[in-house]
Amino acid sequence: METTLRGVGVSHGVAIGEVRHMGTAVLEPPAKQIPAEEAEREQGRARQAVEAVAADLIARGNLAGGEAQHVLEAQAMMAQDPELIADVERRIAVGSTAERGVYDAFAAYRALLANAGEYLAGRVADLDDVRNRIVARLLGVPMPGVPDSDEPYVLIARDLAPAETALLDPTLVLGFVTEEGGPTSHSAILARALGVPAVVALPGAGEITEGTVVAVDGSTGEIFVEPSQEKRAEMESASAARKAALSAVTGPGATSDGHKVPLLANVGGPGDVPAAVEAGAEGVGLFRTEFLFLDDSKQAPSEEKQIAAYRAVLEAFPEGRVVVRVLDAGADKPLDFLTPADEPNPALGVRGLRSLLDHPDVLRTQLTALARAAEGLPVYLEVMAPMVADRADAKAFADACREAGLQAKFGAMVEIPSAALRARSILQEVEFLSLGTNDLAQYTFAADRQVGAVSRLQDPWQPALLDLVALSAEAARAEGKSCGVCGEAASDPLLACVLTGLGVTSLSMGAASIPYVRATLAKHTLAQCERAASAARAADSADEARLAAQAVLSGE
C-alpha cells in the first residue's frame, strides 16, 4: 500500500528504486584493562591508526576533488585534533586498550558538544565517522559503509559522513534519504554537487524495510513508499518534462520579460570549474579559498601556491565575474596557526574576518596573491570578507585590500543579522554585498546548521530570513550597488524567483542547480517574482511562505 513521508528536499531530481541501508556494525570495543607495561605500545597503535585514517580521508578528498576535498581535509584535521589524541593517551595510560581509549575519548567529546552546544568540530556525523574509522582500523574489521550492490538502489542512512557521500557512485546510488541533517549539512551540499536526488531530516527513514521500492522527490522532500504504477508513471513523466524544460532554456539568467539575473557558480577550487562551465555559469559568485589552507593546519600556503590555484579559476571565466571569499577560518574549520584553540563557542568568537584582522600577514599574503593572479586577465575580480558585523569591519577589510594593491571590487558577506540591519552603513565602505544565507539563518534563529532537530529553523523560506534579505537588497539599491546571494537558498528554483523579487541582483549556487534555476526564472516576469516575494514575506512560517509564493507563480 502506497504511503507518503515528507522530509526536507535538498537536491533536485527523482529517484525510484529499491532501498538499501547503510551498514551499521557495532564498533564499541570491549572495556578491558591492560598491564601498565603495555601502555606505550597501545599509545603507539592509537597514533598509527589516527594517522592512517587521516591519510585515507585526505586521499579520498584528492580523489573526489572539488567541494568534497576541503570537507574531507577538515575531517582529517578532526582526526588529528591534539586535545583528542592527548585524551586518548591519558585513557590508555590508566589501563584502556587503544581502541577503547579512542572510543571513550570521542564519546566524551561528542557528549560535550551535544550538551554544551559547542561548534568546534560540531558536525556530529563527521565526528562519529572519524571515531568509527579509527576503531575499525584498531579492531581489524571493515568500516560499515555503502552496501555492495550490482543493481542501482536508493540509499537510506541515519546520516552520511562526508567520506561516504563524496565517493558515492551516481550510476548505482539513484538517490539517498537520511534521518538526520539539514538543508545546509555536508551531505546535502555534496548531494547537490553530485547531482543525486536527496531528502534529509526524515525521522523513521531507517524503519523502511530493505528491498522496499520507494520514489524520492528531491525537490519537494516527498518519499513515496511502495508507489503505485500510476504514481511512478506520474513522477517519471514529471521528471522527463523537467529535463526537457531544462535543455530548452539556455543563455544568461533572466526573467521572461528580460530582467537579467546573472547565474553564478559556487566553487571550492579548480576541480569544480569544469562542471560550472558546462552548466553555463556566467562566472563565480563564491570561490571558497579554504581548500588551500586545509592542506596544512600548521602554516598558511605560500603566496606562489595561492597564485597558481587562483589563476586556474580566474582563467576559466574570461570576461566573467569571479567573486573570491578570503579565508573563512574558525568554527568547524579550525587552523592551528590562525584560530584560538580554547574558545567555548568558536562560531560566536574569532572567526572569518576577525581571525584575519588578528593575523594581518595572512590576509596581506592572500590579497597580494589574488592581485598577482589576476594580472593580465580580462576577468572581473571581486573580493569579499566573511563574517562582517559592522562598518568598522568593512572599512578594515577595504583598507587591507587597498594596501595590498588589489585592483578589484571589495565586498562584504551578510551572514550576521547586524550586517543586514546596518547594510547601508556597511555599503559606505564596500562596493557590493553577498548574502550567505546558510550562516545568516543559523545566527538569526540560533539553529545549528548540522542539527536535524532544528531543520525547520534552517529553512531559507523562513519569513524572518526573507526580511533580512529584503533589507540588504533595499540598502544596496539605495546606494546604487549590487547584492547577490551565494548561500544554498539560491539553489531552490522557486526561492530563486522570490529572491529576485526581493531585489537580489545575482544568484550563486552549486553547478548542478543552475539549469533548474535558469529554466524556472525564464517562466516568470519580474512583477510575478515581486508579488511572490511579498506573499512569502507576509506568511508566518516557512511552509506558508513557500505555498504562498507557489500560488502566485502558478497563477492560482
Side-chain angles (χ1 to χ4, degrees), residues 399-416:
D399 287 346
C401 289
R402 281 187 284 268
E403 288 170 11
L406 192 61
Q407 300 298 310
K409 286 186 175 182
F410 319 141
M413 291 197 70
V414 178
E415 300 166 285
I416 303 172

Side-chain angles (χ1 to χ4, degrees), residues 55-339:
D56 177 64
L57 289 167
I58 290 171
R60 284 170 174 259
N62 291 336
L63 182 61
E67 174 70 35
Q69 186 169 4
H70 82 267
V71 171
L72 293 179
E73 287 172 347
Q75 198 179 12
M77 288 170 57
M78 182 187 296
Q80 298 169 304
D81 183 280
E83 291 187 14
L84 267 174
I85 293 173
D87 190 19
V88 170
E89 294 188 344
R90 281 194 297 269
R91 292 171 187 274
I92 294 173
V94 295
S96 288
T97 61
E99 46 267 37
R100 189 70 205 190
V102 168
Y103 185 88
D104 289 341
F106 272 77
Y109 194 35
R110 189 185 198 280
L112 176 67
L113 299 179
N115 294 331
E118 291 195 22
Y119 286 81
L120 181 61
R123 292 172 167 79
V124 171
D126 300 18
L127 188 67
D128 288 347
D129 182 61
V130 170
R131 178 203 63 204
N132 285 344
R133 289 177 185 281
I134 298 171
V135 171
R137 182 170 287 273
L138 287 166
L139 291 174
V141 300
M143 250 301 286
V146 178
D148 291 327
S149 176
D150 295 328
E151 298 296 324
Y153 58 90
V154 174
L155 179 64
I156 290 184
R158 185 185 64 81
D159 205 344
L160 283 172
E164 301 294 354
T165 314
L167 296 181
L168 290 178
D169 183 351
T171 63
L172 283 177
V173 181
L174 300 171
F176 67 76
V177 181
T178 64
E179 295 190 57
E180 297 293 328
T184 61
S185 64
H186 275 157
S187 52
I189 292 171
L190 294 179
R192 286 188 284 271
L194 287 167
V196 175
V199 173
V200 301
L202 180 66
E207 298 173 11
I208 302 175
T209 306
E210 183 95 0
T212 301
V213 174
V214 296
V216 179
D217 190 325
S219 298
T220 66
E222 292 175 305
I223 309 293
F224 301 95
V225 181
E226 295 183 337
S228 63
Q229 288 299 323
E230 291 78 11
K231 174 58 70 175
R232 294 177 66 163
E234 174 189 327
M235 293 184 71
E236 288 169 347
S237 175
S239 179
R242 194 177 299 160
K243 289 179 180 178
L246 295 181
S247 61
V249 181
T250 58
T255 59
S256 62
D257 55 341
H259 175 72
K260 294 186 183 303
V261 187
L263 303 181
L264 313 170
N266 293 344
V267 304
D272 289 341
V273 167
V277 172
E278 184 179 352
E282 298 167 59
V284 173
L286 173 61
F287 179 9
R288 303 179 181 95
T289 57
E290 289 77 43
F291 79 101
L292 273 172
F293 292 80
L294 292 172
D295 284 346
D296 184 355
S297 69
K298 306 297 183 185
Q299 60 182 0
S302 68
E303 184 175 319
E304 295 304 321
K305 182 176 180 180
Q306 292 189 53
I307 291 169
Y310 302 151
R311 195 170 180 90
V313 174
L314 296 176
E315 287 177 336
F317 295 95
E319 306 295 338
R321 177 187 180 199
V322 175
V323 184
V324 179
R325 181 179 71 191
V326 294
L327 175 62
D328 183 14
D332 62 329
K333 294 171 286 191
L335 294 171
D336 292 347
F337 66 89
L338 197 67
T339 49

Side-chain angles (χ1 to χ4, degrees), residues 515-556:
Y516 291 90
V517 173
R518 180 190 290 119
T520 304
L521 275 174
K523 293 179 183 176
H524 306 290
T525 65
L526 176 59
Q528 287 176 310
C529 293
E530 290 172 341
R531 288 197 297 274
S534 295
R537 288 183 68 188
D540 290 320
S541 71
D543 286 342
E544 290 176 11
R546 185 183 291 104
L547 290 172
Q550 196 167 32
V552 170
L553 294 175
S554 63
E556 295 176 7

